Amino acid sequence: MSAADAAPVTPQPERGLQRTLRLLRPHAAQLRSAPLTLALLVALWVIGAATGSLGTGPDHDLLEQVGVGIPTLEAGRWWTPFSSLLWCSGIGAYVVISLLLAVLGPISERRLGSPLAAAVLVVGQVLGTLLGTGAVRLGVSADLGWTKAIQDQIAVSPGAGLVALAAVLSYRLSLLWRRRLRLLAVLVPLVLMLYVGHLQGVQRVAGVLVGLVGGALLYRRRLVRPHRASHSETRVLVALCLAAAAIGPLVASLYQDAIGPFNTVGDLYFSHVPSSAEIAEACASSATDCARAHSVDRFFDSPGRLMAALVPVLLLVLAEGLRRGLRLAWWLAVITELAWVGVLAWLLSDNYDSFARDGGVSLLFELIGEALLLPVALLVLQWVTRRSFDQRLPHRDTARLAAVVGGALVLCCGAYVGIGWLVRDQYEPDATLTGLLAGLPAELLPPSYNDLLPGYPIAVGGTAQALEIYCGVVFWVVTLVALLLAFRRPVLHSDAEDAARARALLVAHGGSTLSFISTWDGNHYWFDEQGRAAVPYRVIATVALTTGDPFGEPAARGRAVAGFARYCDARGWTPCFYSVTPETLAAAEELGWRSLQVAEDTVVALPELAFTGKKWQDIRTSLNKAGKQGITAEWWTYHEAPIAIREQIRSISEEWVSDKGLPEMGFTLGGLAELSDPAVRVLVAVDADRTVHGLTSWMPVYGEGQPVGWTLDFMRRRSEGFRGVMEFLIASAALGFKEEGAQFLSLSGAPLARSDRGEPSTALQRMLDWMGKTLEPVYGFRSLLAFKAKFQPEYRPMYMVYPDPAALGSITRAIGKAYLPHLTPAQGVRLMRRLSA
């Protein structure tokens, strides 16, 4: 195969309407090729129209004949679990179910086959409705108040069958989408059941359980099988959980008769307009309560009604911050949940006597369990996953955010108190300075919290009412918008200005094959006095650990080792240069430092590269096999790649991470986060169906202002994809780089692996070799080095140099922390057991 045949192509990124139309066309074709989906969609709407059920659902007589519930089953209508599949409860339900079916149906028929998908839908509907109705019947027998309230309900909807189908489908998806689909399939019905509380919600939860168990039996897989998630995917999953907790009260607010167990104190999540009966009751109590009730009622007739949804909207904004892995969002979410727990605990303790008198102590504990379970569960989840939220906003952005929020708070509170004092006669009773200060919490909290606050003056005049309405709204609008903008802004390098300065040096003068790693987040930079050389480093405990060689002007690189050592000594740090070349080794040895080989760089010269001869047989076989299967190599940058390509990359990466017994590594090994740099090129192997079989990413090695070589970093392959995809991708990249005029290609170093040169090894070197052998089943460093040998590289040793042998223990711990920054104590114990086995 010639270079022209194998060289990867660089497609032009699609934009705007062109991309939208391309994405919609395949889905429309899939819908046309899904007979089950089309048949059910047509049946739902035709039967609904024929029976006059599209508006508000089946009438009472028809509902008793086709709906499923305790009354119909006790009446002997055995067909209702089947017939309930063909109706919905109203026009809104028809629209939502149709959308879900249009998305879920074609994928299910393609992955499962139409006959199996139909069987799962029907069986899931029947078993889900029967089990859900049976669970309600058991609850009634156990005298559970919530189930007693829905025992007479009759449900119609194919929802139970659809969520069962989604659960079974999850077993046929990649790990990434399997995890996401299961989370959504469980969370959505669970939230609806807990907040809305209708019979349909219970049946859908039962349908999910039927689908999960059925899929496990059908595909002979464990129902509960823990899979490790990457840090980015953990953030997405936690954010989804927090968003579900926020959306639940909003969904429940759409139902006038929401009676779910978590809706007991739902007003504290989403405030409601007081009814005429509640206003009359308040007025019968006292003049102050009457004024408050009318004030809240008037509040909902103004823009201030936006405050009613403050808590769920705040949680949704924080969920976006969690999705991006921001530590600030994590802390704010924890504080919000703790405040919610504190309010509930105070409310329940303050009303203990009335609860005990009206419903007994059992009612008190029931309310405590219902109200506190969700926030406590979220706190536990956030604490367990706290290591994944390590992204920090730049100091400038944090300071700007604090200034905006603090300024809005001061202005709004100052306006309420200051202007309120000037128009103090517009309050009932006349406002005092103390009374206005006491009213500030009511301005900043949703209306439903007013009853929990001590007395404060009620606005009755025009100016006072405007202050009461707008001060809190303006503050929270400014705060939420500022938070959202801060969370959505790209997280820059923790030392952005120095990082840009260091990259300019790197591009202008070049560096080693690993120097581009220094541009990754987490590094700080030392510059010599003339600013002509730089050393990237990170401080762990008291060890200043570098990433690769110093870089900059050639004459300044050698002096950089001694200069950085003096810089560290002045701060009480121990310097350690890691993964450096013999050039830096020589400079360190002049200072009397010790050295140790820690990796092996593998470099392939490109000008004379030709895959000819017996030693290249495996590579030629991979290239030829890829051509026969219609697999091609395409260049992309990660952000310009189509969303379908990016999602497949994430899915393949998640599958790879889940197979590891320990967390993904960092430091000199990149992950998904490192793909986002525009200078990094991503080569993907795709077939005619646009399925990604594998990918590699390549970092530039600069010389005189432009790339002269490329270093391999990120490698992932689909478990069920083309077996020789890595050989194909690396060979295609080599041919492509050769055509562009690059001089070499580095396959990067494999940590804790080295080739045998017959040199005598020290005791410490033998210990590192033993560690590499022990960790081989987990990370496969030696297998990786053996794989790279297929490309006939030149082996170049990479060293660690350090000044003080007495600090070797601290250096070793720092390197371990750098490679495994998210290692939990439990995982550390398992690692030590593996090393000592």
Side-chain angles (χ1 to χ4, degrees):
M1 179 174 289
S2 67
D5 295 330
V9 298
T10 306
Q12 294 298 316
E14 298 173 313
R15 300 185 184 278
L17 182 62
Q18 179 185 6
R19 176 183 297 177
T20 303
L21 293 176
R22 185 187 65 78
L23 293 174
L24 289 177
R25 279 196 298 269
H27 192 73
Q30 291 173 8
L31 188 59
R32 289 193 299 270
S33 62
L36 168 65
T37 303
L38 285 176
L40 185 54
L41 280 173
V42 171
L44 278 173
W45 287 91
V46 170
I47 294 174
T51 58
S53 305
L54 293 182
T56 58
D59 59 37
H60 183 267
D61 293 337
L62 179 59
L63 185 63
E64 288 188 333
Q65 295 298 319
V66 300
V68 60
I70 295 177
T72 60
L73 292 177
E74 289 182 345
R77 299 186 182 101
W78 58 265
W79 61 85
T80 54
F82 296 91
S83 60
S84 63
L85 181 69
L86 300 176
W87 277 268
C88 292
S89 58
I91 185 61
Y94 273 102
V95 173
V96 172
I97 289 294
S98 297
L99 291 175
L100 290 176
L101 187 57
V103 172
L104 190 63
I107 302 174
S108 301
E109 292 190 65
R110 187 172 70 252
R111 295 278 183 169
L112 306 178
S114 294
L116 180 56
V120 170
L121 182 66
V122 174
V123 173
Q125 176 74 12
V126 172
L127 293 182
T129 54
L130 288 176
L131 290 176
T133 307
V136 173
R137 186 68 183 85
L138 288 175
V140 172
S141 300
D143 198 29
L144 295 179
W146 161 53
T147 56
K148 291 168 65 177
I150 61 174
Q151 62 179 325
D152 295 328
Q153 291 186 357
I154 302 175
V156 285
S157 172
L162 277 177
V163 293
L165 183 61
V168 173
L169 174 63
S170 69
Y171 287 92
R172 299 292 296 162
L173 299 179
S174 65
L175 180 65
L176 176 71
W177 286 105
R178 183 188 316 158
R179 187 186 289 128
R180 290 182 178 180
L181 181 57
R182 285 183 185 175
L183 183 64
L184 289 174
V186 172
L187 272 182
V188 173
L190 189 61
V191 165
L192 290 175
M193 183 187 76
L194 294 176
Y195 281 100
V196 180
H198 291 175
L199 176 61
Q200 285 183 359
V202 184
Q203 292 175 345
R204 291 184 186 121
V205 171
V208 170
L209 298 178
V210 169
L212 291 174
V213 174
L217 295 175
L218 187 62
Y219 296 105
R220 297 181 180 179
R221 295 182 182 176
R222 292 169 55 186
L223 178 61
V224 180
R225 182 183 179 187
H227 290 287
R228 184 173 306 284
S230 69
H231 308 304
S232 60
E233 183 61 13
T234 298
R235 297 164 184 168
V236 171
L237 298 178
V238 174
L240 282 175
C241 292
L242 187 63
I247 292 172
L250 293 178
V251 173
S253 69
L254 301 177
Y255 292 81
Q256 294 182 351
D257 55 347
I259 52 175
F262 278 22
N263 208 41
T264 307
V265 287
D267 281 352
L268 295 183
Y269 261 124
F270 186 86
S271 303
H272 293 83
V273 183
S275 65
S276 57
E278 290 172 331
I279 294 177
E281 182 182 353
C283 290
S285 175
S286 67
T288 301
D289 290 344
C290 185
R292 281 195 181 190
H294 282 290
S295 175
V296 172
D297 185 53
R298 185 174 58 249
F299 194 82
F300 277 93
D301 290 329
S302 71
R305 68 187 309 158
L306 296 174
M307 290 287 288
L310 172 61
V311 175
V313 172
L314 175 61
L315 291 178
L316 287 174
V317 171
L318 296 179
E320 171 61 17
L322 292 179
R323 186 185 68 85
R324 296 177 63 81
L326 292 170
R327 173 64 65 172
L328 175 61
W330 185 89
W331 273 112
L332 291 177
V334 168
I335 292 171
T336 302
E337 296 297 336
L338 287 174
W340 172 247
V341 171
V343 168
L344 291 178
W346 172 79
L347 179 63
L348 294 173
S349 63
D350 192 56
N351 294 273
Y352 177 84
D353 293 336
S354 61
F355 281 133
R357 182 180 61 254
D358 296 338
V361 178
S362 60
L363 174 62
L364 175 66
F365 284 106
E366 182 179 341
L367 291 176
I368 290 176
E370 292 173 354
L372 295 181
L373 181 60
L374 183 62
V376 170
L378 286 173
L379 282 171
V380 172
L381 176 64
Q382 290 167 213
W383 177 257
V384 171
T385 59
R386 64 190 183 281
R387 295 175 181 269
S388 295
F389 302 96
D390 55 356
Q391 298 296 306
R392 300 182 184 276
L393 290 174
H395 294 303
R396 181 180 300 174
D397 290 347
T398 304
R400 185 185 297 118
L401 177 63
V404 169
V405 174
L409 179 64
V410 170
L411 288 175
C412 291
C413 292
Y416 178 77
V417 175
I419 300 177
W421 171 253
L422 296 177
V423 294
R424 52 189 176 276
D425 57 335
Q426 296 185 13
Y427 290 88
E428 180 63 39
D430 287 354
T432 63
L433 187 60
T434 303
L436 289 171
L437 291 174
L440 281 177
E443 291 300 302
L444 302 178
L445 292 173
S448 60
Y449 286 76
N450 287 1
D451 292 337
L452 309 180
L453 300 172
Y456 57 90
I458 306 299
V460 293
T463 303
Q465 288 178 357
L467 290 173
E468 190 176 69
I469 291 170
Y470 291 105
C471 285
V473 173
V474 169
F475 166 72
W476 279 110
V477 168
V478 171
T479 297
L480 292 175
V481 170
L483 281 173
L484 188 59
L485 291 177
F487 293 163
R488 294 286 296 171
R489 189 175 292 114
V491 178
L492 302 176
H493 201 290
S494 58
D495 203 356
E497 294 183 359
D498 283 350
R501 181 182 172 192
R503 178 172 289 210
L505 275 177
L506 178 63
V507 172
H509 303 288
S512 69
T513 57
L514 290 184
S515 290
F516 192 82
I517 292 176
S518 66
T519 65
W520 293 354
D521 197 15
N523 289 311
H524 300 281
Y525 300 91
W526 171 87
F527 298 93
D528 67 0
E529 295 177 355
Q530 293 78 29
R532 296 186 297 175
V535 174
Y537 69 95
R538 59 188 69 194
V539 179
I540 302 175
T542 58
V543 176
L545 191 62
T546 75
T547 309
D549 291 338
F551 52 82
E553 296 182 13
R557 293 178 190 172
R559 299 191 301 269
V561 176
F564 181 67
R566 290 192 296 271
Y567 174 81
C568 293
D569 184 64
R571 287 157 178 78
W573 299 339
T574 300
C576 174
F577 284 81
Y578 190 82
S579 289
V580 298
T581 62
E583 179 183 355
T584 301
L585 172 65
E589 287 180 339
E590 291 181 1
L591 301 175
W593 288 18
R594 303 295 182 92
S595 65
L596 186 69
Q597 184 179 348
V598 293
E600 195 88 50
D601 195 7
T602 46
V603 180
V604 179
L606 295 180
E608 306 299 328
L609 179 66
F611 299 132
T612 59
K614 186 176 181 180
K615 61 183 180 180
W616 295 102
Q617 180 62 46
D618 290 345
I619 307 303
R620 291 197 304 273
T621 299
S622 298
L623 291 170
N624 293 330
K625 189 175 180 181
K628 292 177 182 178
Q629 296 186 13
I631 295 175
T632 58
E634 296 180 358
W635 284 117
W636 293 98
T637 58
Y638 186 69
H639 283 304
E640 289 184 346
I643 188 171
I645 297 290
R646 295 202 303 269
E647 285 302 314
Q648 289 186 77
I649 289 174
R650 290 181 61 88
S651 178
I652 292 170
S653 180
E654 286 300 315
E655 185 178 23
W656 182 87
V657 170
S658 70
D659 289 336
K660 301 299 176 186
L662 292 172
E664 55 189 325
M665 300 184 77
F667 191 34
T668 62
L669 300 170
L672 278 175
E674 284 68 40
L675 293 183
S676 59
D677 194 309
V680 174
R681 298 172 65 178
V682 180
L683 187 62
V684 296
V686 296
D687 60 20
D689 296 327
R690 305 301 294 167
T691 298
V692 176
H693 289 252
L695 70 143
T696 54
S697 73
W698 300 86
M699 304 180 296
V701 182
Y702 292 103
E704 299 182 356
Q706 61 183 1
V708 295
W710 295 86
T711 299
L712 176 64
D713 177 33
F714 192 80
M715 290 197 303
R716 299 288 189 269
R717 63 179 296 271
R718 187 181 295 275
S719 60
E720 300 176 354
F722 169 49
R723 290 188 61 83
V725 67
M726 283 297 110
E727 291 90 339
F728 165 69
L729 284 171
I730 294 175
S732 299
L735 294 174
F737 289 139
K738 178 182 176 181
E739 287 187 352
E740 295 173 5
Q743 297 300 306
F744 62 87
L745 176 149
S746 170
L747 302 182
S748 193
L752 300 179
R754 64 191 183 102
S755 59
D756 186 6
R757 295 184 172 84
E759 300 174 352
S761 57
T762 63
L764 184 57
Q765 187 72 66
R766 288 193 297 271
M767 185 192 74
L768 290 179
D769 292 341
W770 165 74
M771 288 182 63
K773 181 179 179 181
T774 304
L775 291 176
E776 178 66 20
V778 182
Y779 290 111
F781 296 135
R782 297 188 173 197
S783 300
L784 180 62
L785 185 63
F787 165 79
K788 294 175 180 179
K790 295 182 179 181
F791 295 89
Q792 316 304 318
E794 175 190 352
Y795 292 98
R796 299 178 181 177
M798 307 182 77
Y799 299 95
M800 177 181 77
V801 293
Y802 54 97
D804 185 6
L808 192 56
S810 300
I811 292 173
T812 304
R813 288 191 295 271
I815 294 173
K817 181 65 175 176
Y819 269 118
L820 293 169
H822 302 285
L823 186 72
T824 65
Q827 293 164 348
V829 170
R830 289 199 296 271
L831 175 60
M832 294 307 298
R833 287 176 179 173
R834 180 182 292 273
L835 292 175
S836 61

